Every structure is written in structure tokens, then in C-alpha cells.
Amino acid sequence: MPDLLGLLSYGTFFLVFVTIYGLVVLGLNLQWGFTGLFNVGVAGFVAIGAYTSALLTAPDYPDQIGGLGLPIPLGWLGAMVTSGLAAFIVGVAALRLRHDYLAITTFGIAVTLQLVALNAQGLTGGPFGLQFIPKPFAGVIVDNLAWNLAYLAMAITLLGLSYVALERLVRSPWGRVLRAIREDETAAESLGKRAFRFRLQAFVIGCMLMGLGGALYAHFVGYIAPEDFLPILTFQLWTMLIVGGSGNNRGAILGTVVVWALWTLSGNVLRELVPAEHQARAATLQVVLIGLLLMLILLVRPRGLLGEEAVVSRHMKDPAGEVQEE
Amino acid sequence: MLQLIADGFVIGSVIALGAIGVTLVYSILRFANFAHGELLTWGAYLAWTALLGFAAVWGPMEPLGPFSFGWTLLASLGVAAIATAALALLVDLLLFRQLRRHGSAITLIMASFGAALVLRNLLQFIFGAVPEYYSREIQVAIRLVPRDVLGGLRITPDQVFVLGLTAVSVVGLHLFLTRTTLGKAMRATSINPQLARVTGIDVDRVIRATWVIGAVLAAVAGVFSGLTVQLRPQLGLDLLLPLFAAAILGGIGSVYGAVAGGLIVGLAESLSVPIVGAEYRAATAFIVLIAILLVRPTGLFGERP
């Protein structure tokens, strides 16, 4: 039976990561899928959440700011607040302008945050990162597998809540305005909808979900370092959304499962096949493969596995009232 | 102080040459190309490969006069410029051209983001992650200003070469854009693509010219960066933010703006080192970017918002 137990343990581990990434991809879907905002700094906003929650909840760090020892839910709330605040600042600077300025600005903030994480030793622990991030209910559940399962259950609950909330949100009048702005900003403005405000709201909410995802990651692994939040993370998350189908929340989650499965599988295959001394080099091929997958999807099936649903509102169920496809 | 300004101009030259490519692609193909930094990296490594090739045929490189490099590096620069242009055309043919037919600008940006990762990791797969140098010759820096005047100024012959060749490239590009038919067609396409097409301008040819010019300048910038700092697979990624900041600061579509923007970003990076420390110099470009977006999003020389 030990094999089965190993498989269960591995499966739990895999699913926890899928759930955490799924949360982040849902946030990205609100930004890109529904509002058409191109965020290239996803890893940066995830990092803000992870570091905030770690600093708020961890026991006192010597020679460092932070380590306040607050309860974990407060840390997660703080993670969402700081990620949202960062999004607000970026949004105010870039969202009034052409859409690609947002891409450049979010790229910039991710680069800058990476520098802060690496160099601000007094705050982020520098290249060594932050350790001893408390694990929730670790005092109650001692067994490793049981704890992983409990964490998975909690993460799935959070993902489910976010999914339901987002589904309601994008089907509400507010969500329809987002799509209207995405499709034709001038038309939406002429109907009295202030595009900038709606964009900013969607951007901030999306980034708050990314921050929450970062916090969940930090408390699951118990240790974070700057190299956990490199541009490759942004790229993986984007691939998940595009493969699954942007503009569709179920597609976003499906894409997360598919891409993360492909990523871990290709990683395992490389580890098995390639001798140890060449593994660093072979790992670059893994990124090339995922990159080619993204480009192929963009070229062949830009809608992804599950495309955007044509019916936006339950009041518009008749087939005549179709929303045009992208 | 003088030293920092001189260093800023050297970094600024690299940024300016790269930013010209960003701004040309942005104004003619209408998307922010996140893969442009990788053209710098590939240019630098292709030149290094050519250099090794030359060394294998004619023996080790003899330094030329006061410089750390010999004529083979100049030849390698030429080879790298051609090869990088071919690479840019290949990426356009396989990817961007397909997406242009039915994609939106934002799909192009995303594709360029993916292309950047593929190109960078492919390069790291081929060349490895260890930093390399074109030449290990030690150079004697020339003292232009004695130490007691504003901290003094020393400059290496290589840096003088970088500044000189940058100036030559910019003047050459200016003559190309103002005097030749193709150059004028490029400017026309950048201002109004529909009107340009109606007037009988071959837009595909203009697009090819844009990639070639951008890639050649990127190769030169990459070699300069390798010459004055070192060759690393992250060379282009680290320069990408300064490139965008320079292009936006100068005003999208303006070649002279990109040059001015590049020099300003280079100076700002260099002058910020004593204030914030060398480890945060890359963040300076981000501050410049945010400031210009808040104050004057059209840039110094730009017209379109």
C-alpha cells in the first residue's frame, strides 16, 4: 500500500498548487479575459501578497522589519490590501493611456519588485528569502499528509468562493460594462460609462486575487525567496489562461490543471532522462516547450480549450441575442 | 560627477540604439515588442560565436591600437548584424506575420512575450549561463580631466569607440530616413498606414526594413553591452525596461526622441547610483517611466497619446 499513499500524497501536493495558481489565473481572467487589460507583472503582484502575509504573520525576524506574529487570516487580508494598493498606483499611472502602456508599466513593477526582494535585506531577507512562515492549523494536525489534505480543502473552498463571486460579478451589470469597454470603449463612454474607473476596479480586484494566491503559496511552502517570483511564473500563468480560454472562468481553471500537469510531467521526464550535470541546461528546454505551446495556441486556437460564452446574462437566453466573438 | 556623466553616456548609447528599434516597431507594426531585448542578447552572442570562429581560423585576436579588441571583432559585429536581422525576419515570418493577419495588437504583445522567453532560454541552452567576455585584455583608461576637477574623468578607448559608433549609426539612420525612398516610406507608414498603402507604398517591404534596421541596431547595442560590461543570457532582459522607458520618454515613433530618451535614461541610471546604490540602478528606469506617464504621456517629441 505504500505506493498508493505516495500517489495520494503527490496528488494532494499537485492539486494544492493547481488551486493556488487557479486563484491567480481567475484574477488574471478578470483583467484580461473580461476587461482586456494586459498585465505582464503577475509575478510581482503574487510576490507582494506572499511577502506581506509572511511579514505580518511570521514570528519575529532578527535584524529585520516585520515578523509581527499576527493571526494568519489577517496576513491574507493584508496580502490582498497591499497587492490591491500596488495595483491602484500602477493603474492610475497607466490605465488612462494606450493599452500597451499598462503592459510596459506592469513589466516595470515586476522588475522593480524583484530588485527590492533581492536587495532590501532588512525587509525581504534578500536572496535568502523569508523562512518560518507559519502553517495554519499546524498545531492541530500533525500528520503531513493530513495537513496537506486540510490545506487543499481550505484552498479549494477559497477558490470555489472566488469562482462563484466572479461568476456573479461578470454576469452583473458591472461585468457587462467591462465587456462593453473591452469591445468598444467609445461606445461605452458615450453611454455614460467611465471606462477608466471600471478598468481600475477590475485591475485592482484581479490583483487582490493574485495577492491572495501569493499568500496561500507562502503559507503552504513555508518559505519564500525572490526566485519563486521570476518572469517565468507570469508566463506560466498566462499560458494557463490562454490554453484554457480567456473570458471563461471554467476555462481558466481547466487551463491551470492542463498546463500545470504538462509542466510537472515534462519536468519529471527531464529529471528521469537527463543526467544530473545537464539538468540546468535541460530545464531551459522545458521553458522553450511551454513557450511554443503558447504561441501555437495563439496561432491555431486563440479562443483556448473553452472559449468565451456567448450568453452574458440569464435574461438573454434566446439564441438571437448572441454576443459577437472576439 | 563627471565620471558618472560619462558612464551614463556610454550606457545611454546602448539604450538609445536599442530604443530606436523598439520605437520603430511600435510605430510601424503598432505593438510593444517584448522580444526586442532578446535581439540584443542574440546579437551579442552571435558576434561572440563569429569571434571564436575567426580566432579558430586566424589565431587569437590581436588588439587594435589602444582598444581591447582587434579587427576580427569588427568583422564579427558585421556578421552578427546580418544574422540578427535574419533572426528577426524569421520570427516575424513564423509568428508576428501570422498574427497580424487576424490578431489584435494585444495578441502580438503576448506573442512577443512568449517569443522572448523562447529566444532567451534557447540561447541559454546553447551557450550556457556562465558570463563571457570578448577580450580579456586589460585596457589603460585615459585620464581626460584631473582628479581635482569635479572628481576627474577617465575613459577607456573602448568607451570612446562605443560613443563614436553610436553617433555614426544615428547620423546614418537620420540620412536613411530623410533621404531615401524607403526611409520616407517608413515614416509615411508610421504616420498613417492606410494612406501609405493607398499611395502605393509596399507595406510588407516597409515592415521588413523595420525589422532589419531594428535588429542591426540591436546587434550593435548588444555587442557594445558585451564589450563594456559582459555577455550574459539576461543582458537583453535587464535592458528591456530601460529600452521601453527611453522609447516612451522620447515619444513613440520618434527616432531622435529614442536617442535623447536613451541618453537621459542612461544618465539617470548612472547618476542615481550614489543615491540609491548600484543594486537599484535598474529601478531608476521604472521611476522615469512612471514620471513620464503621469506628467507627459506623449513623451518629449511625440504627438500621438
Side-chain angles (χ1 to χ4, degrees):
Chain A
M1 289 307 278
D3 258 337
L4 206 62
L5 213 61
L7 207 63
L8 182 66
S9 160
Y10 187 83
T12 318
F13 209 75
F14 173 83
L15 283 178
V16 170
F17 275 100
V18 164
T19 317
I20 292 172
Y21 289 144
L23 207 57
V24 178
V25 176
L26 279 184
L28 187 62
N29 193 24
L30 179 65
Q31 296 179 343
W32 165 246
F34 294 105
T35 325
L37 303 175
F38 193 69
N39 181 351
V40 191
V42 184
F45 293 102
V46 174
I48 296 183
Y51 274 99
T52 307
S53 189
L55 288 172
L56 286 177
T57 59
D60 197 17
Y61 289 117
D63 322 314
Q64 232 177 279
I65 311 168
L68 301 178
L70 294 173
I72 291 171
L74 261 165
W76 292 358
L77 209 64
M80 292 173 76
V81 170
T82 45
S83 293
L85 209 63
F88 183 79
I89 296 168
V90 172
V92 167
L95 281 175
R96 285 175 207 275
L97 307 165
R98 285 161 45 152
H99 54 234
D100 19 19
Y101 281 24
L102 181 72
I104 296 169
T105 318
T106 46
F107 172 74
I109 197 164
V111 170
T112 310
L113 286 169
Q114 183 65 220
L115 285 178
V116 173
L118 267 175
N119 296 307
Q121 297 251 358
L123 183 68
T124 61
F128 307 109
L130 295 173
Q131 293 170 24
F132 314 117
I133 301 167
K135 301 192 163 194
F137 35 78
V140 193
I141 306 167
V142 187
D143 179 58
N144 211 356
L145 177 61
W147 184 82
N148 281 352
L149 279 169
Y151 202 90
L152 177 63
M154 187 201 57
I156 285 182
T157 314
L158 279 175
L159 180 69
L161 284 176
S162 311
Y163 173 82
V164 171
L166 281 174
E167 279 289 300
R168 292 190 71 112
L169 212 53
V170 297
R171 279 160 216 278
S172 70
W174 184 80
R176 287 202 290 277
V177 174
L178 290 187
R179 294 194 197 198
I181 292 170
R182 186 192 66 189
E183 295 303 327
D184 191 337
E185 183 179 337
T186 321
E189 289 262 5
S190 72
L191 293 171
K193 307 295 182 193
R194 290 192 51 195
F196 169 68
R197 240 190 230 175
F198 281 93
R199 280 210 189 102
L200 190 61
Q201 288 161 355
F203 187 65
V204 170
I205 295 173
C207 285
M208 287 168 82
L209 279 176
M210 292 171 191
L212 180 62
L216 282 175
Y217 174 84
H219 289 271
F220 181 66
V221 180
Y223 162 75
I224 48 172
E227 76 250 23
D228 296 336
F229 309 103
L230 292 175
I232 179 69
L233 176 65
T234 303
F235 183 64
Q236 287 169 332
L237 294 163
W238 265 104
T239 313
M240 290 168 185
L241 180 61
I242 301 300
V243 166
S246 56
N248 185 325
N249 284 329
R250 274 179 296 126
I253 294 171
L254 177 70
T256 312
V257 179
V258 170
V259 172
W260 190 241
L262 281 175
W263 180 263
T264 43
L265 202 69
S266 58
N268 288 344
V269 169
L270 280 175
R271 254 190 302 283
E272 292 290 325
L273 294 183
V274 182
E277 66 266 28
H278 295 302
Q279 282 199 350
R281 193 166 254 207
T284 60
L285 274 192
Q286 203 189 353
V287 182
V288 174
L289 287 179
I290 291 283
L292 292 177
L293 174 71
L294 174 84
M295 289 196 248
L296 210 67
I297 290 273
L298 284 178
L299 286 171
V300 179
R301 199 180 161 84
R303 295 175 63 233
L305 294 173
L306 302 179
E308 186 171 350
E309 285 170 46
V311 178
V312 210
S313 158
R314 61 199 156 79
H315 306 300
M316 281 175 60
K317 280 249 165 83
D318 61 311
E322 276 186 351
V323 175
Q324 83 217 28
E325 252 180 54
E326 262 189 290
Chain B
M1 187 67 189
L2 280 179
Q3 189 65 53
L4 290 175
I5 292 174
D7 290 348
F9 271 111
V10 175
I11 311 162
S13 306
V14 173
I15 299 174
L17 289 179
I20 293 174
V22 169
T23 212
L24 281 178
V25 170
Y26 204 136
S27 66
I28 292 174
L29 286 102
R30 299 188 188 264
F31 74 101
N33 181 13
F34 276 80
H36 197 78
E38 307 315 318
L39 292 180
L40 270 76
T41 325
W42 273 88
Y45 273 87
L46 287 170
W48 186 66
T49 315
L51 195 64
L52 290 184
F54 284 128
V57 180
W58 285 292
M61 179 166 65
E62 288 288 320
L64 200 69
F67 301 113
S68 75
F69 54 84
W71 66 269
T72 46
L73 184 73
L74 298 178
S76 306
L77 180 59
V79 174
I82 295 168
T84 313
L87 177 70
L89 288 175
L90 182 73
V91 174
D92 185 60
L93 183 74
L94 291 178
L95 185 66
F96 297 131
R97 190 187 153 94
Q98 316 296 328
L99 290 171
R100 259 199 310 279
R101 271 196 252 135
H102 45 72
S104 64
I106 210 92
T107 329
L108 283 165
I109 304 182
M110 196 185 311
S112 77
F113 195 66
L117 263 139
V118 170
L119 285 173
R120 180 162 67 250
N121 282 280
L122 212 54
L123 182 125
Q124 200 170 332
F125 177 73
I126 299 169
F127 295 98
V130 187
E132 303 283 356
Y133 297 87
Y134 289 122
S135 159
R136 294 190 185 269
E137 295 283 330
I138 310 256
Q139 272 199 91
V140 186
I142 312 157
R143 179 165 288 285
L144 293 180
V145 179
R147 199 183 298 267
D148 42 332
V149 182
L150 285 167
L153 174 62
R154 281 149 47 97
I155 192 158
T156 64
D158 283 7
Q159 290 174 325
V160 176
F161 169 75
V162 166
L163 291 173
L165 196 54
T166 304
V168 171
S169 309
V170 171
V171 171
L173 184 63
H174 169 77
L175 292 177
F176 171 77
L177 287 176
T178 49
R179 301 290 158 85
T180 64
T181 318
L182 183 57
K184 286 177 188 164
M186 283 176 66
R187 282 161 58 216
T189 314
S190 132
I191 293 165
N192 190 333
Q194 281 84 21
L195 195 58
R197 204 180 280 270
V198 170
T199 342
I201 288 173
D202 182 353
V203 177
D204 284 339
R205 188 155 164 260
V206 165
I207 288 173
R208 282 198 300 275
T210 309
W211 282 117
V212 168
I213 293 171
V216 166
L217 294 176
V220 175
V223 171
F224 284 177
S225 178
L227 193 62
T228 48
V229 192
Q230 58 179 192
L231 288 163
R232 287 173 307 120
Q234 285 83 26
L235 181 155
L237 178 69
D238 291 346
L239 277 170
L240 193 57
L241 187 56
L243 294 190
F244 278 131
I248 292 179
L249 176 61
I252 289 296
S254 163
V255 169
Y256 318 111
V259 175
L263 293 177
I264 294 173
V265 171
L267 277 176
E269 280 198 5
S270 185
L271 291 174
S272 71
V273 167
I275 305 165
V276 295
E279 62 270 29
Y280 286 114
R281 72 184 303 162
T284 318
F286 181 63
I287 304 293
V288 172
L289 177 69
I290 291 282
I292 195 74
L293 287 184
L294 288 175
V295 178
R296 192 180 156 83
T298 51
L300 298 175
F301 301 94
E303 285 134 36
R304 272 173 288 135

